[in-house]
């Protein structure tokens, strides 16, 4: 949220089920009489319990920002973010990946979603900080420069646990715990030049830039230890606590390591307007990626260092057979994505080469009735190689040997048929397949991280116009997710989370000075789960109430 040249803001308080308390504030003010300098501060405090027998989260967020318009051509923006949180990690129930599963669905698993299998003094904290300064200078009416410098720090500290299925042992799970202690530093420098000009009477919008990003990960985490065993479906009667875990984990191995990466990039993008209805786009990006490897602080040895240079092209076309009503589009891109180092279960840090991808998509966008009816349909085709995935035989270890092929359609529509009534809906259908991997048990199958094949969401709202109900609004909607194969390999069998539909409803009253909101999430109290080789219970029905004062 950027500063602006007037005084204003709002303060909100939200309360709700499971001990929810949230206070937010957003205050903006100009400084001085010239109105060329403005500051804005956004802050939030959040505290919430859990629907399970243990669990909580507490966080604080503050984001001050400053905008300074030096003159008509030169301006500065400074944005900062400070975030601190402490929470219990939600239970992660990992299914065994190397042996045949003894259950195929939730009924056979006999998991009760109200059980957390943790303690409120087993917490993990994640303080983060982000700072960015940006300078914008307009050389002329058609050309400008944007320069930005940013710095970030993210820390993970505390106890993280999960349950691991022993497979074939009558619902017995091991509870594994690690003492996390890792800090990531990031630095980014970016210079962009953006301009508009004509060549042979054809309009061009050109962006040229340089980008430098450097990151350093200092990891002092322990490996995972087996603390004890629990039986699924039975109450957790163990005396799990922070002192007990710290005592048992004291002898766990700690691999002190530092991993450094840097990326040097240059890129250019040009949009060419051939006619008012036809535009084409071409782009090139050259990246030189340097992974300086992971240095073991105990031995002094560095492993995993390498360098790579790659050119990523992109092209696109847009044609409007009916100007401002129907647009046909298609684009293609080929490139790679740098993969951050991953902490392994034994406390070490492993570096990876970039993942590579090629993608094309095509679709149509339409707008009718003066913007009161909009719709978009897209078809995409994506191949990603050199994929980093979890080791099929060892939990919280990672390997890099995969290739996935994904294709599908996405559709969305929004409509305002009458004043005050807004309707939105979206649907996606995804077909995904593992086409190459070091594990034959996975080849030809849908990736366990792909999620449901079909997703749908719909939302409707009506705001009363005038009369005694002026300012009131009613809203409602639902989210649907199809079956999700979170385990899908020939060696273990398939474990499927069932499809679900979750409905939500809200009522609000809005005036120029304040706003009241009441919302019910999971209206029908649906029991549902998400996961990726894991079983993660989701929130039951919950109610929230929010009051906002505007000034």
């Amino acid at each position: 949220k950027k500063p602006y040249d007037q005084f204003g803001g709002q303060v909100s308080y939200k309360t709700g089920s499971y001990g929810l308390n949230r206070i937010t504030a957003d205050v903006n003010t100009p400084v001085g009489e010239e109105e060329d300098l403005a500051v804005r501060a956004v802050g939030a405090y959040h505290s919430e319990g859990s629907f399970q027998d243990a669990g909580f989260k507490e966080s604080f967020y503050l984001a001050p920002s400053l905008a300074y318009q030096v003159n008509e051509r030169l301006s500065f923006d400074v944005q900062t973010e400070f975030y601190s949180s402490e929470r219990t990690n939600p239970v992660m129930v990992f299914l065994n990946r190397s042996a045949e599963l003894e259950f195929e669905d939730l009924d056979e698993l006999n998991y009760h979603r109200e059980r957390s299998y943790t303690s409120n003094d087993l917490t993990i904290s994640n303080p983060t900080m982000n700072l960015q300064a940006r300078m914008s200078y307009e050389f002329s009416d058609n050309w400008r420069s944007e320069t930005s410098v940013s710095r970030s720090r993210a820390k993970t500290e505390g106890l993280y646990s999960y349950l691991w299925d022993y497979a074939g042992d009558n619902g017995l799970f091991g509870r594994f715990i690690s003492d996390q202690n890792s800090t990531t530093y990031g630095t980014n420098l970016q210079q962009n030049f953006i301009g508009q000009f004509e060549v042979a009477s054809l309009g061009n919008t050109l962006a040229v830039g340089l980008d430098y990003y450097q990151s350093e990960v200092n990891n002092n985490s322990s490996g995972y230890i087996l603390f004890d065993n629990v039986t699924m479906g039975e109450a957790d009667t163990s005396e799990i606590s922070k002192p007990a875990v710290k005592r048992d984990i004291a002898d766990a191995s700690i691999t002190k390591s530092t991993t450094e990466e840097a990326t040097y990039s240059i890129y250019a993008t040009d949009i060419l307007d051939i006619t008012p209805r036809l535009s084409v786009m071409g782009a090139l990006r050259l990246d030189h990626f340097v992974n300086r490897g992971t240095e073991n602080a105990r031995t002094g040895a560095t492993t995993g260092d390498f360098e790579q240079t790659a050119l990523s092209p992109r092209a696109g076309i847009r044609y409007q057979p009916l100007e401002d009503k129907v647009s046909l589009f298609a684009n293609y891109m080929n490139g790679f994505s740098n993969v951050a180092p991953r902490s392994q279960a034994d406390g070490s840090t492993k570096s990876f080469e970039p993942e590579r991808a090629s993608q094309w998509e095509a679709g149509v966008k339409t707008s009718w009735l003066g913007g009161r009816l909009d719709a978009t349909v897209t078809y995409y085709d994506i191949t990603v190689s050199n994929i980093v995935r979890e080791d099929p035989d060892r939990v919280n270890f990672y390997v890099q040997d995969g290739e996935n092929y994904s294709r599908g359609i996405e559709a969305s529509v929004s409509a305002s048929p009458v004043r005050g009534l807004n309707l939105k809906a979206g649907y996606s259908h995804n077909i995904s397949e593992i086409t190459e991997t070091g594990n034959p048990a996975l080849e030809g199958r849908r990736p366990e991280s792909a999620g449901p094949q079909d997703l749908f969401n719909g939302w409707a709202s009506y705001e009363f116009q005038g009369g005694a109900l002026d300012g009131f609004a009613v809203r409602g909607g639902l989210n649907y997710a199809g079956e999700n194969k979170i385990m899908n390999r020939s060696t273990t069998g398939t474990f499927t989370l069932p499809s679900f539909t979750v409905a939500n409803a809200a009522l609000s009253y809005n005036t120029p000075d304040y706003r009241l909101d009441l919302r019910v999430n999971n209206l029908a109290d649906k029991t549902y789960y998400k996961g990726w080789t894991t079983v993660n219970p989701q929130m039951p029905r919950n109610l929230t109430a929010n009051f906002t004062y505007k000034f």
Side-chain angles (χ1 to χ4, degrees), residues 20 57 73 77 102 104 113 115 135 160 199 212 249 266 288 297 302 308 325 345 350 378 394 446 463 507 510 513 530:
L20 172 64
K57 56 183 176 182
R73 296 188 181 275
D77 293 291
E102 60 178 320
E104 296 181 354
R113 67 172 175 176
R115 290 177 181 156
M135 180 183 73
Y160 185 86
V199 175
Y212 167 75
I249 214 168
I266 183 171
H288 181 64
T302 298
Q308 174 173 304
K325 287 185 171 62
K350 186 174 182 179
T378 304
R394 300 182 300 168
R446 184 176 181 84
E463 299 182 13
L507 175 67
N510 191 29
D513 296 324
K530 297 180 180 180

Side-chain angles (χ1 to χ4, degrees), residues 1-8 27-41 63-70 75-79:
K1 295 186 176 181
K2 298 181 179 180
Y4 52 95
D5 60 1
Q6 296 179 7
F7 176 78
V27 181
N28 184 91
T29 182
V31 179
E33 298 179 357
E34 301 295 329
E35 296 185 347
D36 54 1
L37 178 64
V39 294
R40 187 172 186 173
S65 57
L66 177 147
Y68 180 36
Q69 187 72 40
V70 181
S75 64
F76 291 92
D77 293 291
V78 178
Q79 300 177 24

Side-chain angles (χ1 to χ4, degrees), residues 17-271:
S17 306
Y18 308 111
L20 172 64
N21 285 284
R22 181 177 176 87
I23 301 173
T24 61
D26 180 0
V27 181
N28 184 91
T29 182
V31 179
E33 298 179 357
E34 301 295 329
E35 296 185 347
D36 54 1
L37 178 64
V39 294
R40 187 172 186 173
V42 178
Y45 170 77
H46 184 102
S47 177
E48 185 177 4
S50 173
F51 65 92
Q52 297 180 315
D53 54 15
F56 77 93
K57 56 183 176 182
E58 186 176 27
S59 65
F60 176 76
Y61 175 77
L62 179 64
S65 57
L66 177 147
Y68 180 36
Q69 187 72 40
V70 181
N71 52 48
E72 293 182 353
R73 296 188 181 275
L74 179 63
S75 64
F76 291 92
D77 293 291
V78 178
Q79 300 177 24
T80 61
E81 293 180 329
F82 302 92
Y83 176 77
S84 178
S85 71
E86 184 178 13
R87 63 181 298 169
T88 55
N89 72 276
V91 61
M92 302 286 283
V93 179
F94 281 90
L95 304 180
N96 197 296
R97 301 167 187 172
S98 57
E100 185 176 356
L101 294 170
E102 60 178 320
F103 28 70
E104 296 181 354
D105 54 38
L106 288 169
D107 290 336
E108 293 183 9
L109 179 62
N110 196 30
Y111 176 65
H112 298 274
R113 67 172 175 176
E114 72 275 4
R115 290 177 181 156
S116 65
Y117 297 100
T118 188
S119 168
N120 277 344
D121 62 349
L122 267 62
T123 64
I124 192 164
S125 61
N126 300 99
T128 63
M129 176 192 70
N130 296 287
L131 307 174
Q132 183 190 68
R134 183 178 60 181
M135 180 183 73
S136 179
Y137 183 77
E138 296 184 4
F139 298 104
S140 65
D141 292 340
N142 296 325
W143 286 92
R144 73 180 189 274
S145 166
E146 291 185 352
T147 307
S148 66
V149 180
S150 61
R151 179 72 170 165
S152 65
R153 184 191 69 187
K155 186 174 180 62
T156 299
E157 186 174 23
L159 298 172
Y160 185 86
S161 63
Y162 67 87
L163 301 182
W164 173 253
D165 170 31
Y166 285 126
D169 206 351
N170 298 320
L172 191 65
F173 283 72
R175 179 159 39 196
F176 290 82
I177 303 178
S178 169
D179 193 354
Q180 301 283 306
N181 183 3
S182 176
T183 305
T184 301
Y185 299 94
T187 302
N188 182 239
L189 306 175
Q190 191 174 97
Q191 173 62 56
N192 293 306
F193 297 98
I194 302 105
Q196 295 179 328
F197 58 94
E198 289 189 356
V199 175
S201 299
L202 300 179
N204 288 262
T205 301
L206 177 67
V208 179
L210 302 169
D211 192 6
Y212 167 75
Y213 177 75
Q214 184 268 342
S215 70
E216 177 182 317
V217 180
N218 296 322
N219 187 19
N220 294 281
S221 302
S222 76
Y224 282 86
I225 65 160
L226 173 62
F227 179 75
D228 62 2
N229 297 317
V230 298
T231 300
M232 196 59 60
E234 297 183 0
D236 184 7
T237 58
S238 65
E239 296 182 358
I240 187 170
S241 64
K242 186 174 182 178
V245 171
K246 285 287 190 178
R247 181 184 63 247
D248 285 10
I249 214 168
D251 296 329
S253 62
I254 296 178
T255 302
K256 296 185 177 182
S257 63
T258 299
T259 305
E260 292 187 46
E261 296 180 342
T263 305
Y264 306 82
S265 308
I266 183 171
Y267 46 86
T269 301
D270 185 49
I271 299 174

Side-chain angles (χ1 to χ4, degrees), residues 9-12 462-475 506-518 546-551:
Q10 61 183 33
V11 178
S12 299
Y462 181 74
E463 299 182 13
F464 292 91
Q465 309 293 310
L469 295 178
D470 185 38
F472 278 97
V474 291
R475 299 177 174 85
L507 175 67
S508 66
Y509 178 64
N510 191 29
T511 75
D513 296 324
Y514 64 90
R515 178 185 176 98
L516 292 169
D517 293 276
L518 292 174
N546 186 80
F547 173 76
T548 300
Y549 173 69
K550 312 171 193 176
F551 53 89

